[in-house]
Amino acid sequence: MRETRAIILAAGKGTRMKSQVPKVLHQVAGKPVLRYIVDVVRSLKTYVVVGHGAAQVKHAIGDSVEYVLQNKLLGTGDALRRVQPYLKSFSGTLLVLCGDTPLLEPTTVRRLMARHKQAKAAATVMTAIVRQPFGYGRIVRDAQGNFVAIREQKDAGPGEHKIHEINVGMYCFEAKAAFEALRKIKLNPKKKEYYLTDIIKLLLSCGKRVSTWTSLDESAAFGINTRQDLAQADGIIRRRILNQLMDSGVTIVDPATTYVESGCKIGTDTIIYPCTFIHRDVVIGRKCSIGPFARLRPGTRIGDATEIGNFTEVSRSRLGRQTVMKHFSFLGDAMVGNAVNIGAGAVTANYDGKDKNKTVISDGAFIGSDAVLVAPVTVGAKAVVGAGSVVKKGTRVPSGAVVVGVPARRIRG
Ligand code: UD1
Ligand code: MG
């Protein structure tokens, strides 16, 4: 089987984001835009062309992909040309994608690749019919409907402006033919860029087969260019995440006010009440009740049948089974056991101004309302911390003991 390499073009500046952060590192549902594309092509050896903010991009995305530097942003044709030295003896297929289309789904990519293989083409261009084609390269066809060229917005004639079939920016190329054609493309005089899309005409003119595949998945073409695009993509991905959770047996009472970021796991028969925010890297067990108005931050792990109620925040903490934390509480850097009661308003004071410290609350412990545990603190199994107590830094409350007051003193056990 001929091999495929994925190439993600991500060197662009993203001027319209008006940001110091490279466009592809802005987050959608808790995950950088570029990471979505990298994840879609995970099974392929992948090259990412970086330029603007290259060091930041490398740092954020990590070393599961290879990076190719494009020093000067001379266009998409030049970007692909930069990859050639890495693939000198490669004679398989190149799957070329843009780094700013987070809505792209794996099935869309698989279908494009299947189409390319079936057509035995030198190039296959993915197209879409969109309501607002402004800004995209248009797919120009002859009277018989044969694909003849891609015309960029700036270069399109009046008739061509009316074309609604657009170039999504995702292609399959036979590597040898594409690299050869890339050598011949000329700088576009208007944009002063080398257009990757110019190789289509070149391939056709030397008798190579070029095919198109029109996807019904319009969202594949949706690229992030502005903050408004970012918000729109966030809304779509968030809804996808919630739909998947509901399909897997989680109740989301009000999807419109529930935010679950990418990569969370939630067990069946858990109910998420409105106005709840669950960040990335959170795992929740079965039959839990979360919210309304709860915020679960990264690193939180919640066992089965545990209740997290209103106006609560949990961060980098692990809670066991059948534990309850129903009102106005904060747990940070805490290890909480099974069947623990966290009273209304109880908090762990995990930050001392310099370091984050840990709190351990063992099985069956009872933390009274408004208690403050100044970490590091350990509360033993079935111990009781009275309402309004302040448990001082470094305290170990023995199992079964009762402590009360400010500072908390042992009165029993
Ligand atoms: C490109 C296509 C257009 C298509 C559209 C789809 C060309 C000439 N045009 O236009 O037909 O409809 O995408 O969104 O290719 N990039 C680099 N290096 C560069 C320039 C761009 O890596 O020097 C990257 C960008 O980061 C981006 C991608 O290539 O991820 C596309 O570049 P962009 O400038 O957005 O191209 P468009 O003008 O949108
Ligand atoms: Mg673009």
Side-chain angles (χ1 to χ4, degrees):
M1 204 184 89
R2 288 168 81 76
E3 276 185 288
T4 303
R5 300 276 187 271
I7 296 166
I8 304 175
L9 308 181
K13 194 153 182 239
T15 314
R16 281 177 285 165
M17 295 296 285
K18 300 204 170 79
S19 175
Q20 299 200 330
V21 176
K23 175 169 89 170
V24 292
L25 292 188
H26 281 265
Q27 305 234 328
V28 171
K31 180 161 133 175
V33 167
L34 176 57
R35 164 75 53 203
Y36 283 90
I37 329 294
V38 169
D39 284 351
V40 165
V41 295
R42 204 178 351 227
S43 61
L44 301 174
K45 169 134 184 76
T46 300
Y47 298 83
V48 179
V49 181
V50 289
H52 184 75
Q56 266 172 285
V57 175
K58 285 184 195 176
H59 179 74
I61 302 298
D63 55 11
S64 66
V65 297
E66 188 138 354
Y67 296 95
V68 176
L69 192 65
Q70 186 193 21
N71 275 321
K72 276 194 187 161
L73 300 183
L74 289 174
T76 49
D78 180 70
L80 186 56
R81 210 151 40 184
R82 300 286 133 216
V83 188
Q84 188 175 15
Y86 294 77
L87 291 170
K88 265 193 194 132
S89 54
F90 180 70
S91 60
T93 305
L94 307 177
L95 167 69
V96 177
L97 313 105
C98 291
D100 62 354
T101 52
L103 304 184
L104 181 66
E105 300 210 66
T107 47
T108 306
V109 175
R110 276 200 293 275
R111 286 193 191 129
L112 171 71
M113 286 168 59
R115 165 74 190 183
H116 178 72
K117 204 169 153 202
Q118 180 202 19
K120 295 194 170 58
T124 303
V125 176
M126 179 173 157
T127 79
I129 316 285
V130 297
R131 263 172 298 151
Q132 290 171 338
F134 184 85
Y136 288 106
R138 310 297 210 286
I139 303 297
V140 182
R141 295 183 183 274
D142 66 14
Q144 285 74 45
N146 297 313
F147 175 37
V148 290
I150 300 174
R151 194 87 68 235
E152 293 304 310
Q153 176 74 36
K154 278 203 171 162
D155 311 308
E160 290 167 345
H161 278 145
K162 296 197 189 101
I163 300 173
H164 283 254
E165 186 179 12
I166 58 113
N167 169 28
V168 166
M170 195 165 99
Y171 325 78
C172 283
F173 294 113
E174 286 315 297
K176 294 271 180 227
F179 287 134
E180 200 181 312
L182 273 175
R183 274 200 291 274
K184 298 182 196 149
I185 58 171
K186 301 207 166 57
L187 195 75
N188 180 281
K190 278 194 189 148
K191 257 193 118 181
K192 304 275 184 276
E193 283 185 0
Y194 292 96
Y195 287 176
L196 170 58
T197 45
D198 281 352
I199 70 174
I200 299 300
K201 237 182 152 173
L202 279 169
L203 290 171
L204 284 168
S205 70
C206 55
K208 299 265 199 257
R209 189 179 304 184
V210 176
S211 70
T212 56
W213 176 67
T214 309
S215 168
L216 294 177
D217 173 18
E218 208 185 287
S219 68
F222 185 88
I224 304 294
N225 290 307
T226 64
R227 306 267 181 167
Q228 291 199 31
D229 294 336
L230 198 65
Q232 206 177 327
D234 203 285
I236 294 167
I237 291 202
R238 185 152 60 83
R239 189 63 210 219
R240 280 186 194 167
I241 293 170
L242 294 176
N243 287 347
Q244 276 168 9
L245 288 170
M246 290 187 277
D247 288 348
S248 72
V250 177
T251 295
I252 310 284
V253 175
D254 182 19
T257 63
T258 303
Y259 296 76
V260 181
E261 290 187 341
S262 233
C264 294
K265 290 199 180 78
I266 305 181
T268 52
D269 287 326
T270 282
I271 303 178
I272 314 285
Y273 289 96
C275 301
T276 289
F277 201 122
I278 300 174
H279 289 258
R280 70 187 155 75
D281 186 28
V282 169
V283 180
I284 301 171
R286 296 163 172 234
K287 297 183 180 169
C288 293
S289 168
I290 312 289
F293 299 98
R295 181 177 184 208
L296 307 183
R297 292 174 55 197
T300 295
R301 302 285 179 270
I302 292 179
D304 295 342
T306 280
E307 286 183 52
I308 308 289
N310 43 273
F311 309 110
T312 48
E313 177 177 337
V314 183
S315 185
R316 293 182 306 276
S317 293
R318 195 173 274 273
L319 280 71
R321 280 170 277 119
Q322 293 173 307
T323 280
V324 288
M325 174 190 180
K326 287 199 160 183
H327 340 260
F328 323 120
S329 276
F330 168 69
L331 288 173
D333 302 296
M335 285 277 282
V336 180
N338 303 324
V340 168
N341 182 82
I342 307 286
V347 303
T348 54
N350 62 325
Y351 183 53
D352 60 12
K354 225 173 91 218
D355 297 312
K356 301 264 169 69
N357 300 304
K358 293 196 164 28
T359 301
V360 176
I361 304 173
S362 309
D363 293 350
F366 186 98
I367 310 298
S369 291
D370 249 344
V372 179
L373 309 180
V374 185
V377 160
T378 300
V379 179
K382 294 191 175 164
V384 174
V385 175
S389 304
V390 175
V391 180
K392 283 205 307 189
K393 195 173 178 157
T395 305
R396 298 181 74 90
V397 180
S399 296
V402 179
V403 298
V404 295
V406 182
R409 290 204 171 80
R410 204 181 327 171
I411 58 164
R412 227 182 295 151

